[in-house]
Amino acid sequence: MTQIKWVFENMKGSKWKFFIGLIFHTGAIIPLLLFSSLLIAEFVDQVFTNGDMSNAYLLIGLYLLVMFLRGAAHHLSNSLFDSASADVLANFRTFLYKKLQTLPPSFFGQNRTGDIMMRLTGDLEIMRHFVSWVMPFALHCVVLFISGLVVFYSTNAILASILLVVSPVMAYLVLKVRKVSAPLHTHLRETNSHLNARVQETIAANRVIKAFVREDHELLRFDKLNDEYRKAAIDSSCVWASKFGPIFGAFGNGVLITVFVVGGLMLVYQQITIGEFLLFYNLNWLVNTSMRQAGIVINDSQRFFSSTQKVMQLYYARCDIQSKENAYVPDENADAPAGKVEFENVSFKYAKTDVLKDITLSAEPGQTIGIMGPTGSGKSTLAMLMARFADVNSGSIKIDGVDVHDYDLNALRKKIGMSMQDVFLFSNTIDANIAYGNPDMSEESVVDYAKSADADSFIKRMPDGYDTIIGERGVGLSGGQKQRIALARALAYETPVLILDDTTSAVDMETEKYIQSQLAIRKGTHTTFIIAQRISSVKNADKIYIIENGSISESGTHDELLKNKGYYYDIYCLQQGIKSEKEEVR
C-alpha cells in the first residue's frame, strides 16, 4: 500500500480529476446499474405478471434515461481517469528526467541504460494503467458487491445468503493470487529490464559487433534473454489463466446455477415474483463478474507494485554532490582575475582504491598546464574533481580562491569548459553541437571556434555544412572529426578554465600542430589544462605535471623535465624514436 499512497501524494493537481471520476464511477454508475435492474424487475411484475400497462411507457422511458445517464457517467469517468493518469505519467517522467540530470556519473556506471529507460517508459506506463483502470475498477467491484448484498438482503435473505457463503472462499483465493503472483511479476519485470539493456547495448555497439563478426553470438545472447522473458511472461499469466481463473469461474458459475435453481424453486412455490427472480439473477451475474475480475485486479496490482518499487528507487536516488545552502555565486561584473586553480594535498579514493594521493599543484590565470602519466594513473580524475563530478576524500580544490565545495554547482561548472576523453555528440546539427553550451552564439562565432579546432574545412565539405545533422553519438564522423567538434564546443563555452582531456589523440600530427598554434593564439584568455599522452600536446605548457600511481612524480617545464631523465624523458625519447641515455648504458 506504500506505493499507492506514494503515487497519490505525487499526483500534483490531478487528484480532483481522479476523485470526481470515482464519484461518477461508483456514486453514479453503480446506483444507476442497480436502479436499471430494479426497473426491469418492476416492469416484468407489472406488465408481464399482472398485465398492468399503466406505467409501462414510464418504466421504459425511465430505463432508457438511466441507460443514457449510465453511458454518460461511464464516458465522463473514463475521460477523467485517463486525464489524471496521463498527468501522473507526465509529472513523474518530467521529475525523473530532471533527477537524472542531477545524478553523478557513478550512478550511470552502476545502472544499465536499458534499465533506466525501462523505469521512464514501461514502469511508468504500468503506473498509468493502475491509476486509470485498476484502482477505479477495484473500488467498483467492492462497492458493487456491498451494494448488491444490501439489495439482496432487502429483497430476499435466503438468496442473498448463497452469495455470502461463497464470499470468504473468494477472498481467500484473492489473497492467494497476490502471494503467488508477486514474485513472478518481480521476475518478469527484471527479465524485461535485462532484455531492454541487451538491445540498447547491441545498438550502441553495432560497429564493434560487425567488426568482430559476432552477429550470431549476439543473436544467441538475445534469444536466451528473450526466451527467459517469454517464460516469465507465461508463468505470470498462467497464475491467473490456468490456476486461479478457472477456480474463480467455477465458484462464480456455481453461485449463478445455485441462485437459478433455488430461485426457480422459490418462484414455482410463489415465494418470489418473476421480477424478483430476474433481479436476483441479473445482479448476481454482475456481482459474480466483479468477483471473477478480482483476480485480474490483483494480477495487475502486483505488476504495479513491482514497477513502482523500481520507479521509487530512481525517484529517491540521492546525489551526494549538491550545492550547499547559500552557496557562492561569482559576481560576473567583478574585476578579480578569473581562472586561478589550486590543488592542495588532494586525495581521492574510488571503491576503496586510492586513485589520487596528496596532489598539490596550481595554475595562475591564463596559464597552460600539461598533465601526463601512464594510463590509469588518475589524470582524468583531476578534471572530474575540478567540476565536482566527485568529491575529494581529503585536501581541497580552489578556483579563484574559493573551495569548489562552496560554489553553487551550476556556477562552478559555468567556469569550466571541458572536452572529454569519451567524445559525445548529440543527434543534431553541427552548429547546435558547437554552440551547445552557449546557444545564443552567433553563426560567425561558431565558425571562428570551429576554425580554432581545425573543424571548419571538413564541416564545409559536408552536405549541408554547419546545418548537417550528424547521427547519434556522432555516427558518420571519424574519430578525429568528432574530437575537433568537441574541442570547438569546449572553446565556444567561453569559460575561464578549459580542460582538454586527450582531445587530439585521434588527429594526425599536422592537425594537432595547427590546433596547438590556434590554442597558442588564444593563450591567456583562459587557464588551460591539457591532459595528454603526446609530448607534442604539452611541451609548450607553462608547467607540466607527471602523475604516476596517483601521485605527482615530476613537475616543471619541457626543458626541465628532459633534464630530470624521468618518465617524461623516457616518453619523449620513445615518441621521437631516439635512444635514451638509459638504453645506451645498457
Side-chain angles (χ1 to χ4, degrees):
M1 292 300 174
T2 302
Q3 290 94 329
I4 297 175
K5 181 181 178 183
W6 177 73
V7 168
F8 278 96
E9 286 175 350
N10 288 279
M11 288 187 77
K12 296 179 182 178
S14 299
K15 290 181 183 177
W16 67 272
K17 296 180 184 178
F18 183 82
F19 288 116
I20 291 177
L22 281 183
I23 291 172
F24 281 100
H25 199 66
T26 57
I29 293 177
I30 292 177
L32 290 170
L33 188 63
L34 296 175
F35 188 53
S36 65
S37 298
L38 289 170
L39 284 174
I40 291 174
E42 187 65 24
F43 182 83
V44 169
D45 282 342
Q46 284 191 23
V47 178
F48 295 151
T49 303
N50 300 326
D52 182 3
M53 294 290 293
S54 59
N55 294 321
Y57 293 108
L58 175 62
L59 291 171
I60 292 173
L62 284 173
Y63 181 78
L64 293 175
L65 176 62
V66 167
M67 295 302 292
F68 172 78
L69 293 175
R70 265 184 61 194
H74 194 271
H75 172 75
L76 182 59
S77 63
N78 283 347
S79 298
L80 289 168
F81 290 142
D82 286 341
S83 178
S85 63
D87 290 345
V88 170
L89 187 70
N91 289 338
F92 272 115
R93 188 168 285 156
T94 299
F95 181 89
L96 294 176
Y97 187 78
K98 288 181 179 178
K99 169 71 70 163
L100 288 175
Q101 311 307 312
T102 68
L103 295 174
S106 58
F107 174 85
F108 299 96
Q110 297 165 4
N111 293 272
R112 298 162 301 181
T113 303
D115 183 62
I116 296 172
M117 292 296 297
M118 179 71 178
R119 300 185 197 198
L120 268 73
T121 53
D123 288 336
L124 286 182
E125 182 59 33
I126 289 173
M127 289 171 59
R128 186 203 64 78
H129 173 68
F130 184 82
V131 172
S132 67
W133 186 83
V134 178
M135 277 208 69
F137 187 73
L139 185 61
H140 177 87
C141 291
V142 172
V143 174
L144 182 59
F145 179 77
I146 295 172
S147 302
L149 278 180
V150 171
V151 174
F152 285 171
Y153 270 103
S154 64
T155 307
N156 190 294
I158 296 175
L159 288 176
S161 298
I162 296 173
L163 183 63
L164 195 60
V165 167
V166 79
S167 299
V169 179
M170 291 291 198
Y172 169 78
L173 288 175
V174 166
L175 295 175
K176 191 72 174 175
V177 170
R178 179 182 177 184
K179 183 178 180 180
V180 174
S181 64
L184 293 175
H185 281 296
T186 300
H187 178 60
L188 175 64
R189 195 265 170 211
E190 289 300 318
T191 54
N192 193 9
S193 173
H194 294 161
L195 188 65
N196 286 344
R198 170 55 45 203
V199 171
Q200 182 274 329
E201 191 174 67
T202 301
I203 293 171
N206 68 91
R207 289 190 177 186
V208 176
I209 294 169
K210 287 179 170 60
F212 287 89
V213 195
R214 297 292 282 172
E215 291 92 341
D216 291 340
H217 170 73
E218 293 300 328
L219 182 59
L220 288 174
R221 294 177 69 185
F222 176 82
D223 283 344
K224 182 180 178 181
L225 289 173
N226 196 28
D227 191 54
E228 289 178 4
Y229 177 68
R230 180 185 64 82
K231 291 177 180 177
I234 291 173
D235 290 343
S236 62
S237 298
C238 285
V239 168
W240 171 250
S242 63
K243 293 181 180 179
F244 293 100
I247 298 174
F248 271 85
F251 270 99
N253 291 330
V255 172
L256 278 173
I257 293 170
T258 303
V259 169
F260 184 80
V261 173
V262 175
L265 290 173
M266 293 178 74
L267 180 63
V268 170
Y269 290 104
Q270 298 183 348
Q271 293 179 352
I272 59 174
T273 66
I274 295 175
E276 289 173 337
F277 176 77
L278 288 175
L279 172 65
F280 268 89
Y281 189 80
N282 187 32
L283 287 182
N284 188 61
W285 182 84
L286 290 172
V287 170
N288 269 282
T289 299
S290 297
M291 292 176 66
R292 286 196 298 268
Q293 294 288 339
I296 297 175
V297 170
I298 294 297
N299 224 26
D300 286 352
S301 296
Q302 292 310 312
R303 293 175 62 205
F304 164 78
F305 291 134
S306 298
S307 292
T308 305
Q309 190 63 37
K310 291 293 184 179
V311 173
M312 290 176 74
Q313 289 174 4
L314 178 56
Y315 188 95
Y316 289 112
R318 282 187 56 80
C319 179
D320 295 331
I321 302 168
Q322 296 181 353
S323 300
K324 64 193 303 185
E325 192 174 347
N326 299 320
Y328 172 69
V329 178
D331 182 359
E332 295 181 358
N333 299 318
D335 296 326
K340 183 176 182 178
V341 180
E342 301 166 278
F343 281 71
E344 297 177 0
N345 306 115
V346 170
S347 295
F348 174 73
K349 290 184 178 181
Y350 181 76
K352 297 182 180 180
T353 300
D354 288 324
V355 179
L356 294 176
K357 294 171 283 188
D358 199 31
I359 298 293
T360 297
L361 60 84
S362 63
E364 295 298 323
Q367 279 191 330
T368 297
I369 302 298
I371 306 290
M372 288 191 68
T375 301
S377 60
K379 303 185 299 298
S380 296
T381 305
L382 292 174
M384 181 178 70
L385 294 174
M386 263 191 273
R388 280 199 76 196
F389 292 142
D391 279 335
V392 301
N393 296 109
S394 62
S396 66
I397 302 173
K398 296 179 181 178
I399 295 180
D400 292 332
V402 180
D403 194 302
V404 293
H405 288 86
D406 295 328
Y407 271 94
D408 174 80
L409 268 180
N410 288 339
L412 171 66
R413 291 169 184 170
K414 284 180 179 178
K415 292 177 75 73
I416 302 171
M418 302 181 74
S419 179
M420 307 287 193
Q421 188 176 19
D422 181 19
V423 176
F424 185 95
L425 298 178
F426 293 92
S427 181
N428 206 332
T429 64
I430 294 175
D431 180 279
N433 270 281
I434 294 175
Y436 183 73
N438 193 357
D440 295 327
M441 179 174 289
S442 66
E443 291 184 16
E444 292 78 9
S445 297
V446 169
V447 173
D448 287 341
Y449 286 116
K451 288 179 178 178
S452 296
D454 195 28
D456 179 66
S457 56
F458 80 79
I459 292 173
K460 286 182 175 177
R461 292 196 300 269
M462 301 193 78
D464 297 310
Y466 283 83
D467 293 325
T468 300
I469 295 178
I470 56 180
E472 185 179 0
R473 296 184 63 88
V475 173
L477 299 175
S478 69
Q481 289 173 332
K482 287 190 284 187
Q483 280 193 336
R484 282 179 274 175
I485 291 175
L487 173 58
R489 177 173 61 191
L491 293 173
Y493 199 27
E494 298 179 339
T495 54
V497 178
L498 178 65
I499 300 173
L500 306 179
D501 188 356
D502 226 5
T503 302
T504 57
S505 60
V507 302
D508 57 74
M509 298 299 293
E510 183 178 348
T511 300
E512 185 189 31
K513 185 177 180 180
Y514 174 83
I515 292 173
Q516 293 298 329
S517 68
Q518 291 298 307
L519 291 176
I521 294 172
R522 299 178 56 81
K523 185 175 175 62
T525 58
H526 38 62
T527 305
T528 306
F529 285 82
I530 300 177
I531 301 171
Q533 297 288 353
R534 290 179 181 174
I535 295 289
S536 56
S537 297
V538 301
K539 69 178 183 179
N540 294 322
D542 296 296
K543 195 166 187 178
I544 303 166
Y545 291 89
I546 306 300
I547 298 180
E548 296 184 89
N549 299 317
S551 300
I552 294 176
S553 60
E554 300 178 73
S555 64
T557 63
H558 172 74
D559 293 334
E560 290 170 347
L561 290 176
L562 288 181
K563 291 177 183 178
N564 285 345
K565 300 295 191 294
Y567 175 87
Y568 187 86
Y569 171 76
D570 292 339
I571 295 298
Y572 175 80
C573 292
L574 180 66
Q575 293 182 3
Q576 293 298 316
I578 60 177
K579 283 188 177 182
S580 67
E581 292 181 7
K582 299 175 185 178
E583 291 177 313
E584 290 175 354
V585 170
R586 292 174 189 169

